[in-house]
Amino acid sequence: MSTTSTIELTGVSKTYGPVHALRDVSLEVRPGEVLGLIGENGAGKSTLIGVLSGTVRPDAGTMQVHGQAAPLGDPRALSSLGISVVVQEQALVESLRVYENIYLGRESAVGGRGPGRRRRLRAAARKLLEDLHITGVDADAVVVELSYPQRQLIEIAKAFSRTRTGSAAPVILLDEPTSALSETEVEILFSLVERWKDRVSFIFVSHILQDVLKISTRLLVLRDGRAIETLPNVGVSPEHLHELMVGSERSADYYREDEQGGASAEEPVVELRGASVTGEFEDVDLVIRPGEIVGVAGVIGSGKSTLAAAVAGAERLHTGELLLDGRPRTRWNVAKAVQEGVLYVPPERAHDSLFTTTSIRSNISIGFLDLLQTPWNRLIRLREERTRSTALAKRLQIKAPSLSTPIGELSGGNQQKAVFARWQGRRCRVLVLNDPTRGIDVGTREEIYGLIREMAADGIGVLLCAESLEEVIGMSDRIIVMKDGRVTAELSSPTAAKPTEVDVIKHMM
C-alpha cells in the first residue's frame, strides 16, 4: 500500500465575521482507510467538508492530493482529481431521471457522443445500481417520484460512479449518508465501503456514533472549530466520543422521562378513525391526548411517516376521518392545522421546512407572522417581529453571527432549532414530529428532547415518528407499531416499564 497520503490538509482556518468555523485544523486521509469525522452541530464539520470539496475557500491552510498541491476553493478542479461528496441535504435535479442525475456533467465521458448516448448512459446506470446492490430503483425513474431514502441511495451511487470514469478517485466524502436509510440499506452501504477500500479512501461524517465506530478505521473529533483529537478506532466507546465532542460525560439516558410523566386521561385533542391514504396506510385509529407523547414505530415503508403528515394536514386522507376536540374536520390541510394549533416538523429540513437563502429571523417569524398583522391595514408590526424572533432564538440557543445570517449557512442542529423556535411563537396544542433529530448531534438532541418534554408537561400532545427505535421507546408514553400500512400493536411505555426493542420489533416484522 502506498505511504503517500490520499489527502492532506494543513493549518486550515475559516471565519465568518466574528465566528471561527475552523481554527488551524489539519487532517490526513490515507489510502484504504475510512476516517470518521465527528463533532456537535456547529463544530465545523460542514465547513471542513466544504473545504475538502472546494465549495468553501479557507482563509488559511494548504491541501495536497496524492502528495501534490491542490487548489483550495475550486470545486471543478478538486472534482477532476476524483474527490466526490454525498451531501446530507441532497443535490439531485428532481426533474431528471436517475441515470441523468448519476452522470450529470459527465455524459460524454461515460456515454460517448451520438444518438446512442442516452441508451449507453441508461445501461451504465443499470449496471452500476446492480453492482452496488441498490434494488427497487429504476434507472429510468424520475427523481421527484422517489422517496427520500431512495434519493439518498442515488446520491451514493453518483459518488461511486466517479470511480469508474477513468480519473483518479482518491476519496469519497460521505456526509450523513445513513440518516434516512433502513438497517438493510445501511448494511449495503457499509459492505460497499469495505469492498471498495482498496481503491477509494473515505471520510465518513455521521451523528450516529455507533455507525461511525462500526465503519471507521480512524477518528477525528472536532469541537468549536478545532481538531480536538485524532485516534485509532480501537476500543473506543460512544460515551468517550461524546465526552470528547462536548467536553462532558453523556447521561445514561439523555431522553429520559420524568417520573411524573405518563399518559393523560383527558379527552383526545386529535383523533383518527378508520383513516387511510391509498398506497401508504389503511384503517388506522389513532388518539393523541393533552400532555401525552405518542410514538410511531415501523420500518421505512410502513406508512408511519405519511401517517404523521396526515395528522398535520400535509397529506389528505382518502377514507376515514380526523377529529379535533371530538368534532370531524373536513378538507384538513396545513393552513387549517396551524390555525388550530396542530403544528408540524417534517423530516426534510431543507426541502420542506426552510427558506435556505433567507435569514434566520425570517425563518423563525414566518410561523407567526399572521399574529402580528395590524387589524386595520394588515401590515406586519416589524418591531414586535424582531423582538419575538430574537427572544425565541435566544431561548433555543441558536448559534449564529446574527439573525440576519442566511439559515442555509447554519449547521443542521441550529437549523432544526430554528424550526422549533418558529412554532414556539404561537399556540400549540399538538406537535407532530417526523424524525426530528435526523442528522443532529447528541448534544443538540439532548436540548430537543428537553424541549419536547417541557411542551408535553405544559399539556401539549406530541406525535413522534422517528427512525430510531431507541428514541421512540425512550420518549413515548404509548407506542403505535405499524407494518405494511397497518397498525399491528399498541404498547404502553410508562417510565418504570419501558418495552424492550425486541418487544417492539416483533410487531414490525
Side-chain angles (χ1 to χ4, degrees), residues 110-400:
V110 178
R113 299 182 182 276
R117 184 167 69 178
R118 286 183 177 273
R119 174 178 51 79
R120 291 188 290 270
L121 288 173
R122 189 181 294 111
R126 286 173 177 163
K127 181 66 165 59
L128 174 67
L129 295 173
E130 180 182 345
D131 289 350
L132 298 181
H133 302 285
I134 296 175
T135 60
V137 178
D138 192 330
D140 270 320
V142 180
V143 166
V144 72
E145 298 173 352
L146 302 180
S147 66
Y148 183 88
Q150 287 175 321
R151 298 199 303 269
Q152 189 74 338
L153 291 173
I154 299 310
E155 286 277 15
I156 292 166
K158 184 177 179 179
F160 275 87
S161 74
R162 293 183 179 274
T163 67
R164 299 176 162 222
T165 60
S167 61
V171 69
I172 293 178
L173 314 177
L174 298 170
D175 187 6
E176 297 289 346
T178 64
S179 61
L181 302 183
S182 67
E183 290 186 12
T184 300
E185 291 163 338
V186 170
E187 289 302 320
I188 290 173
L189 172 61
F190 285 177
S191 67
L192 287 174
V193 171
E194 287 291 343
R195 192 163 69 245
W196 287 47
K197 278 196 304 184
D198 62 340
R199 59 185 296 187
V200 182
S201 298
F202 295 89
I203 296 179
F204 183 84
V205 184
S206 179
H207 291 110
I208 305 173
L209 298 184
Q210 289 84 355
D211 284 353
V212 177
L213 290 172
K214 184 173 183 178
I215 198 64
S216 302
T217 53
R218 280 192 309 129
L219 304 163
L220 172 62
V221 183
L222 293 179
R223 187 169 75 228
D224 296 329
R226 299 182 186 276
I228 299 300
E229 188 168 344
T230 302
L231 63 162
N233 185 12
V234 179
V236 182
S237 68
E239 289 72 23
H240 180 55
L241 289 183
H242 181 271
E243 185 174 354
L244 291 173
M245 288 165 57
V246 303
S248 60
E249 292 186 4
R250 175 183 180 180
S251 59
D253 183 5
Y254 51 85
Y255 44 81
R256 60 189 177 277
E257 182 178 3
D258 294 336
E259 291 299 323
Q260 293 81 7
S264 168
E266 296 184 42
E267 291 299 313
V269 182
V270 171
E271 187 175 358
L272 293 180
R273 293 180 182 173
S276 300
V277 172
T278 303
E280 295 292 335
F281 63 85
E282 58 181 318
D283 198 27
V284 170
D285 295 330
L286 175 70
V287 169
I288 305 172
R289 297 182 174 89
E292 179 184 35
I293 300 178
V294 180
V296 185
V299 300
I300 292 175
S302 64
K304 61 179 180 177
S305 185
T306 306
L307 177 67
V311 172
E315 285 281 350
R316 183 176 63 85
L317 291 180
H318 295 160
T319 60
E321 59 182 356
L322 181 144
L323 294 83
L324 184 69
D325 296 324
R327 298 191 303 274
R329 297 300 174 100
T330 59
R331 298 180 181 176
W332 185 248
N333 56 38
V334 171
K336 289 183 178 180
V338 169
Q339 290 296 323
E340 296 288 355
V342 180
L343 310 179
Y344 186 40
V345 178
E348 298 184 44
R349 282 188 300 273
H351 192 271
D352 296 327
S353 292
L354 303 176
F355 301 92
T356 55
T357 59
T358 60
S359 69
I360 301 167
R361 192 185 95 192
S362 296
N363 273 274
I364 293 174
S365 64
I366 196 170
F368 50 85
L369 282 181
D370 58 312
L371 306 180
L372 303 180
Q373 290 181 329
T374 305
W376 56 89
N377 60 14
R378 304 186 67 80
L379 295 177
I380 302 297
R381 298 190 294 275
L382 292 178
R383 180 176 297 179
E384 185 176 351
E385 184 261 350
R386 285 192 294 269
T387 300
R388 292 178 66 169
S389 299
T390 301
L392 289 168
K394 184 176 181 180
R395 177 183 171 189
L396 272 77
Q397 301 179 31
I398 297 173
K399 299 176 182 177

Side-chain angles (χ1 to χ4, degrees), residues 417-479:
K417 286 183 183 180
V419 175
F420 273 82
R422 172 187 299 168
W423 296 137
Q424 296 293 303
R426 67 183 307 128
R427 181 188 68 149
C428 179
R429 303 185 63 203
V430 174
L431 182 64
V432 181
L433 302 172
N434 203 339
D435 215 5
T437 59
R438 174 186 290 175
I440 293 177
D441 66 80
V442 289
T444 306
R445 285 180 197 172
E446 291 185 24
E447 297 178 51
I448 288 179
Y449 293 142
L451 177 61
I452 295 169
R453 284 286 172 214
E454 288 177 13
M455 296 177 75
D458 289 339
I460 295 171
V462 177
L463 181 66
L464 173 63
C465 172
E467 298 303 329
S468 168
L469 190 55
E470 187 181 17
E471 180 174 302
V472 171
I473 295 171
M475 289 292 292
S476 303
D477 302 310
R478 188 161 49 87
I479 300 172

